[in-house]
């Protein structure tokens, strides 16, 4: 992932060190991941753009009315938010 350019939705290092965020990543609980990213100032629109998702889909995932099950989507989220793959259980 080091060869990727910076992302406008890159999660800050402090979030990658947060036990609740790390647990959500390990469990692939993107409801928590997106909510915590939003709490540190990353808009849902930025998350959607960076992860190649529709803003409505990001909103649904955050509300818990949709989930992420496809590995390709998990990989797009990891790349878009610059999350090391090793943290995704």
């Amino acid at each position: 992932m080091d060869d990727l350019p910076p992302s406008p939705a890159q999660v800050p290092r402090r979030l990658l060190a947060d036990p609740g965020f790390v647990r959500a990543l390990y469990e692939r609980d993107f409801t928590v991941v997106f909510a915590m990213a939003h709490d540190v100032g990353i808009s849902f629109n930025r998350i959607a753009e960076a992860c190649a998702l529709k803003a409505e889909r990001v909103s649904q995932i955050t509300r818990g009315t949709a989930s992420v099950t496809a590995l390709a989507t998990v990989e797009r989220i990891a790349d878009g938010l610059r999350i090391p793959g090793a943290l995704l259980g």
Side-chain angles (χ1 to χ4, degrees), residues 28 30 51-53 68-80 88:
R28 295 184 183 178
F30 293 103
C51 300
L53 298 169
V68 176
T69 56
L71 181 58
T73 305
V74 171
E75 290 172 345
R76 283 198 326 261
I77 292 168
D79 287 347
L88 291 163

Side-chain angles (χ1 to χ4, degrees), residues 2-39:
D2 292 335
D3 57 335
L4 295 174
S7 169
Q10 183 168 341
V11 294
R13 289 184 186 263
R14 70 179 187 277
L15 200 53
L16 292 174
D18 183 292
F21 190 75
V22 172
R23 183 174 40 257
L25 290 172
Y26 181 79
E27 296 171 355
R28 295 184 183 178
D29 183 351
F30 293 103
T31 297
V32 173
V33 170
F34 288 172
M36 289 183 77
H38 186 260
D39 288 347

